[in-house]
Amino acid sequence: MKKDFRVQYPLWQIGFMMVFMVIAIIITGAATNYVNDKTSFSYSIQLEALEGGIMFLIIPVFLVMVIILSIKLSKYNKENPSKKLSVWGNKPLEYMEDDEAWQMITRKATQKVYTFFTWSLPFSALFHLLIPTSQLLIIINIVALSFAQYIIYYVNVRRHVMEDNE
Amino acid sequence: MLKNRVKELRARFSYTQGELGEKAGVTRQTIGFIEKGEFSPSITLSLKLAYILECKVDELFWLEGEEW
């Protein structure tokens, strides 16, 4: 069960969050040139050598992750034709509602995530209200909240899976 | 607290958790959680399990505790 794609899916989300974070840090730190007048429109980003190198590496990493995730999703759907998953659905993939016990596990994990957001969102708003923030800090905050959300979900689901395996 | 005899009756029929789960239309994990008392099944699932294990629901599940 630990190898169930849906148990591992939050880890993929965390991986994508990390990649997004690196890209956000580089882009917000780069020199940008934005032109929008009557005759022209352009937007350019100028990166230093180090940042350019990191972007040069991180974009293939991102593409490889997308390809591996697509393969895993396709494999899961072939093995489970009656409960196919789609990344384009409105329901998060990590929900495991095959039957009653998994509904319970999902509900418990989701409740903890909800509790986390109930507290973290007002504190985040207060933080940005009181402390002068940059675009980057707001993005880091959003990524950190998402990161924590998936960690809470994964840890709670995995705990039940571990107990079940023992 | 909800107590049950699922494990005992399952053993009597020599079903594995997976086999019982398959007959009841749930996963092996659900049977495991029920047996450990970590999860209270719905009325529908309780009736299915009682039917499969050839007993009445109140022979399979009962409440234990002073408040009851």
Side-chain angles (χ1 to χ4, degrees), chain A residues 45-70:
Chain A
I45 301 172
Q46 194 175 349
L47 299 174
E48 297 293 325
L50 179 64
E51 284 81 8
I54 294 170
M55 282 293 266
F56 189 72
L57 290 174
I58 204 85
I59 288 172
V61 167
F62 174 75
L63 292 175
V64 167
M65 284 174 71
V66 169
I67 290 166
I68 294 172
L69 182 64
S70 304

Side-chain angles (χ1 to χ4, degrees), chain A residues 56-150:
Chain A
F56 189 72
L57 290 174
I58 204 85
I59 288 172
V61 167
F62 174 75
L63 292 175
V64 167
M65 284 174 71
V66 169
I67 290 166
I68 294 172
L69 182 64
S70 304
I71 291 168
K72 284 181 88 75
L73 188 63
S74 171
K75 191 181 167 196
Y76 176 85
N77 284 340
K78 274 184 188 164
E79 288 170 357
N80 301 275
S82 61
K83 43 184 180 181
K84 285 184 177 179
L85 298 171
S86 167
V87 284
W88 307 111
N90 60 355
K91 199 173 180 181
L93 289 194
E94 58 270 23
Y95 282 2
M96 293 186 289
E97 296 185 341
D98 288 346
D99 62 9
E100 294 186 11
W102 281 114
Q103 283 173 8
M104 174 196 73
I105 292 168
T106 300
R107 188 181 67 242
K108 281 185 176 177
T110 311
Q111 281 175 337
K112 290 193 176 169
V113 170
Y114 182 80
T115 306
F116 165 72
F117 275 116
T118 300
W119 289 99
S120 61
L121 287 180
F123 277 110
S124 295
L126 191 66
F127 175 78
H128 290 297
L129 195 69
L130 298 176
I131 296 168
T133 54
S134 62
Q135 273 185 334
L136 179 61
L137 202 57
I138 293 170
I139 291 170
I140 288 172
N141 190 14
I142 292 168
V143 172
L145 293 181
S146 305
F147 188 89
Q149 166 197 341
Y150 287 115

Side-chain angles (χ1 to χ4, degrees), chain B residues 8-60:
Chain B
E8 178 193 331
L9 291 176
R10 178 173 64 78
R12 190 178 292 174
F13 283 85
S14 302
Y15 292 144
T16 62
Q17 288 183 341
E19 285 167 346
L20 180 59
E22 198 175 329
K23 283 176 184 290
V26 294
T27 58
R28 181 186 65 77
Q29 284 79 20
T30 294
I31 303 298
F33 286 130
I34 291 170
E35 288 182 357
K36 284 191 277 186
E38 291 178 4
F39 168 65
S40 301
S42 66
I43 293 171
T44 308
L45 182 54
S46 305
L47 286 165
K48 279 184 186 173
L49 291 172
Y51 177 78
I52 296 162
L53 298 171
E54 296 176 14
C55 64
K56 291 179 179 174
V57 173
D58 60 359
E59 290 169 351
L60 193 57

